[in-house]
Structures are given as C-alpha cells and as structure tokens.
Amino acid sequence: MAKQALITGITGQDGSYLAEFLLDKGYKVFGLVRRSSTVNFERLAHLQDRIELLAGDLLDQSSLMTALNQSEPEEVYNLASQSFVPTSWNQPVLTGEFTALGVTRLLEAVRVVNPRIRFYQASSSEMFGAVKESPQNENTWFHPRSPYGVAKLYGHWITVNYRESYGVFACSGILFNHESPRRGFEFVTRKVSHSVARIKLGLDRKLKLGNLDAERDWGFTGDYVRAMWLMLQQPEARDYVVATGTTHSVRRLVELAFGHAGLDYQDYVETDPTLLRPAEVYHLRGDASKAARELGWQPTVSFEQLVAMMVDSDLERLERPALQPMGSAP
C-alpha cells in the first residue's frame, strides 16, 4: 500500500517540488490549503489530478487535527509560513502566528492524533543571522536579524522540544536559500531573472535592488526537497543543514543573470535605499557535511546552472505566456 504524506504550504515553491518528488516515489499526496479567494494554484496546475487538497489553517488547531484524520499520513512536511523576510518587518505579529506558533499547533495535532507520524519542519538559515562563524553548521550559534528569523527559530526549537519531550519523530531541515523558476516574484533571485527577461525583450529598462553586497548560499529547490524526504527515512530523528557550501553576492547574481542574456548589468541595475532591510544579514554559508555523511545528500545543480535555468524559464514564459504556466517550469 502506498505511503501517505501531508504537505502544508503545498501551493508554494517547495511544496510543488516536494509533491512531485513524493508522487514519483509512489506516495499518495495530500496538501493543506487555506480557504481563501486569493490562493494561487498555478504551481500545482500539472499535479492537481494526482493530489488531494484539504482545507486547513496553521492558525486553527481543530482544522489541523481534522486534516490529519482525513489524510492519515505517515509523514507530515510543514512548509507553510509567512516566508518573505521583508514582509516580516511590516507584519511581525502575523509572521509569528504562522511561522512560530503555527508549528506548535501542528506538532500538537500530530501528538494528539497520531504521535507515530514522522514530522519535517522547514527551518531556515535566516536563524543564524549575524553569524559568529562561517560556514554555519548544526551547532552554530543563532542570532536572527528579522521577525521572520526569530519566528523560524521558535519553530525550530519547538520541534526539538517535541522530539525530546514526547518522542515524536520530528526533524528540522535548516535550509539555506534555495531557488527555482517557481520562486515568487518578491524574492531577489526571481526578481532578477524576471527583470532580465523583461529588459531583454524590451519590456523594461531598469532593475532596482537593495544591498548588492549581501552574500548567500544559493541552491536548487529540486535538490533540497530530496533532503527533506531523506531526513524522514532515517532510523533516528535529527536536524540537518542543507546547503551548497559556496556563497555568491547579489552583485554576482545579477552579473550572471544579465550576462546569460547577453547584457551588462551595470547598464540596467540601480541601487534603491528604500529596499534595504532595517537589520541586514550580510553573509550566510552552510556546512552540509552532516547531511552528506548521514543522508548521502549532495547538491546536483550549480549556481551558474540555476541562474541560467531561471532566466531561460522567464524568457520562455514571457515570449509564450499561454504555453508556459509556472507549475510546468523545470
């Protein structure tokens, strides 16, 4: 009989890639979605006849218990959150409700409905914030620099707490930045790739960005959802950093993206001080040696390949919009 999994945040970038991955593994996949007139199912368009969507909300405990009883999953992947860092400054309380307390509600639902469920929590490199060492691993000190990072840290530690206190098989994946053609337009990688495509096609003339010197460890989402699954297949629940181990600046990102389209970024990119964060995270680089050693996980897509993939996808989407929905992107 096929394994069953429930994914929160299934309509997002990570959720769509994870759903594809699990379906390919023979799982029956359920997705938790909020009842809202603004939910975007575009990333799932090519999967909707193969998955079952259930109504639920991380703000509502009873709806989570109902979803668990309906789906009877062996595995739960909690990918839902308010995930855009700049928004967390404008909506810090709501970010805490979803990204922090929402984890507690879901873990408590698991404990009550079926404590044998294996649970994955999407932790974040933003928890490291003002880093004290580089690269960062599972033992690095946390110093989050945004309401999002603080909320993610709460979610991380409550996951550890349920593992240690109740014996729930609960893992946190401390994922560094991971991108794809399905990334939201508000994130810098997609903002860059989409703007490059528009400028290349003569639809725009300039791209405004904040801190070009911020450095991140960027990988491909398709690689990272494989790590999520591997964590829940282990004999013991543990936490893992998932990263490429290399960093690139935002400046290098725009240089590669414009260069892939045959353009010089210096002709088009402007710095906008209003896009700077109140507290910047300047450098993140992950050490995924534990994941390599215990999970056998390695990234397969380079940063250069990732940037080219995203630019090519946005060019194709803009040239043939009717034939290139977001959900069918590579």
Side-chain angles (χ1 to χ4, degrees), residues 43-72:
R43 296 182 181 93
L44 297 176
H46 62 306
L47 300 176
Q48 278 196 272
D49 61 342
R50 301 174 62 197
I51 59 178
E52 186 171 336
L53 299 178
L54 304 174
D57 196 316
L58 289 183
L59 302 185
D60 181 59
Q61 181 85 37
S62 63
S63 72
L64 300 177
M65 297 177 71
T66 299
L68 290 175
N69 281 315
Q70 289 175 330
S71 57
E72 298 183 327

Side-chain angles (χ1 to χ4, degrees), residues 3-310:
K3 271 190 174 183
Q4 299 189 171
L6 174 66
I7 303 171
T8 74
I10 195 169
T11 60
Q13 169 191 248
D14 293 17
S16 67
Y17 276 98
L18 179 61
E20 279 180 346
F21 180 88
L22 294 177
L23 288 169
D24 288 344
K25 290 284 183 185
Y27 280 66
K28 183 174 183 180
V29 175
F30 296 84
L32 190 76
V33 294
R34 300 175 67 201
R35 288 202 183 279
S36 169
S37 61
T38 59
V39 173
N40 186 346
F41 295 103
E42 192 177 0
R43 296 182 181 93
L44 297 176
H46 62 306
L47 300 176
Q48 278 196 272
D49 61 342
R50 301 174 62 197
I51 59 178
E52 186 171 336
L53 299 178
L54 304 174
D57 196 316
L58 289 183
L59 302 185
D60 181 59
Q61 181 85 37
S62 63
S63 72
L64 300 177
M65 297 177 71
T66 299
L68 290 175
N69 281 315
Q70 289 175 330
S71 57
E72 298 183 327
E74 284 101 329
E75 298 170 5
V76 169
Y77 295 85
N78 183 35
L79 310 185
S81 71
Q82 190 299 102
S83 60
F84 187 45
V85 175
T87 296
S88 75
W89 291 105
N90 298 325
Q91 299 179 331
V93 175
L94 185 63
T95 297
E97 286 286 351
F98 278 113
T99 308
L101 292 178
V103 185
T104 311
R105 294 186 188 99
L106 187 53
L107 279 165
E108 183 64 9
V110 166
R111 186 184 72 83
V112 171
V113 172
N114 180 5
R116 295 182 301 279
I117 291 171
R118 295 194 166 203
F119 179 87
Y120 172 84
Q121 166 60 17
S123 288
S124 168
S125 60
E126 288 285 332
M127 301 186 310
F128 293 120
V131 296
K132 306 295 189 295
E133 63 183 30
S134 186
Q136 297 89 52
N137 61 33
E138 293 81 4
N139 299 312
T140 299
W141 186 263
F142 296 118
H143 185 162
R145 297 265 285 172
S146 67
Y148 170 78
V150 172
K152 275 294 186 184
L153 188 53
Y154 177 101
H156 177 80
W157 281 119
I158 201 66
T159 301
V160 173
N161 190 264
Y162 269 70
R163 180 170 72 221
E164 295 179 349
S165 301
Y166 300 119
V168 175
F169 191 105
C171 300
S172 282
I174 306 174
L175 271 57
F176 281 63
N177 295 65
H178 45 288
E179 317 296 326
S180 76
R182 299 180 202 169
R183 194 47 140 161
F185 291 105
E186 69 272 24
F187 291 86
V188 67
T189 46
R190 185 69 192 287
K191 182 178 180 179
V192 168
S193 67
H194 187 247
S195 292
V196 166
R198 287 185 61 84
I199 290 169
K200 179 67 175 179
L201 297 174
L203 302 174
D204 269 338
R205 299 178 63 184
K206 293 292 181 181
L207 167 61
K208 293 184 178 182
L209 294 171
N211 182 11
L212 295 180
D213 296 319
E215 296 177 328
R216 294 291 185 271
D217 183 330
W218 277 298
F220 173 52
T221 301
D223 285 336
Y224 285 42
V225 298
R226 177 165 40 89
M228 299 176 189
W229 176 79
L230 285 168
M231 290 180 208
L232 297 196
Q233 313 314 309
Q234 303 308 304
E236 183 180 343
R238 295 179 178 173
D239 305 323
Y240 295 89
V241 164
V242 181
T244 69
T246 59
T247 60
H248 302 275
S249 66
V250 176
R251 191 180 306 277
R252 178 60 176 159
L253 165 67
V254 297
E255 181 182 23
L256 284 172
F258 277 93
H260 185 69
L263 303 171
D264 183 344
Y265 82 94
Q266 295 182 84
D267 295 333
Y268 304 99
V269 174
E270 296 179 353
T271 301
D272 183 350
T274 66
L275 298 176
L276 297 174
R277 297 183 184 183
E280 181 60 84
V281 175
Y282 293 99
H283 174 86
L284 292 173
R285 179 163 70 97
D287 173 9
S289 56
K290 179 181 176 184
R293 183 173 63 252
E294 298 185 8
L295 306 179
W297 181 85
Q298 294 284 349
T300 65
V301 177
S302 72
F303 181 64
E304 292 78 10
Q305 290 171 323
L306 173 62
V307 174
M309 177 197 306
M310 293 180 69

